[in-house]
Amino acid sequence: MILLFFLWSFFWLLGDIQEKTIVIRKRYWIIFWLLFISLLTYLGSGILAKSHLVLIAIPVSVYIAYGFTQIRRKLW
């Protein structure tokens, strides 16, 4: 369920990213790189995989929150 929310929010953000200001675009790309690096380190972590899930949860929660804020804007 979380993966579906994440993918939905992430693709929604990719569609809307050009409408954002440069500062906001840079922040979302930094969060994307944090997610990418966290996924790479998770794949190579072995025994310490649980601690890397926390690093993955941070950018995922930011993207999901973006998706929910867009829903609220569309409803109002």
Side-chain angles (χ1 to χ4, degrees):
M1 189 69 151
I2 293 173
L3 183 63
L4 290 175
F5 279 139
F6 167 71
L7 290 174
W8 167 73
S9 300
F10 184 73
F11 288 124
W12 195 339
L13 176 69
L14 286 179
D16 291 342
I17 196 79
Q18 294 301 323
E19 298 174 4
K20 307 293 180 195
T21 62
I22 294 173
V23 173
I24 293 173
R25 277 187 268 175
K26 285 182 181 181
R27 289 180 183 165
Y28 278 116
W29 280 112
I30 289 170
I31 294 169
F32 170 75
W33 283 109
L34 175 64
L35 176 67
F36 182 72
I37 291 169
S38 299
L39 285 172
L40 286 179
T41 59
Y42 175 75
L43 295 174
S45 64
I47 296 173
L48 301 172
K50 288 185 181 180
S51 63
H52 284 275
L53 286 177
V54 174
L55 291 174
I56 294 171
I58 295 169
V60 167
S61 64
V62 169
Y63 285 122
I64 290 174
Y66 174 80
F68 282 127
T69 58
Q70 293 304 312
I71 287 176
R72 193 172 76 181
R73 287 184 187 174
K74 297 290 181 185
L75 290 176
W76 291 110

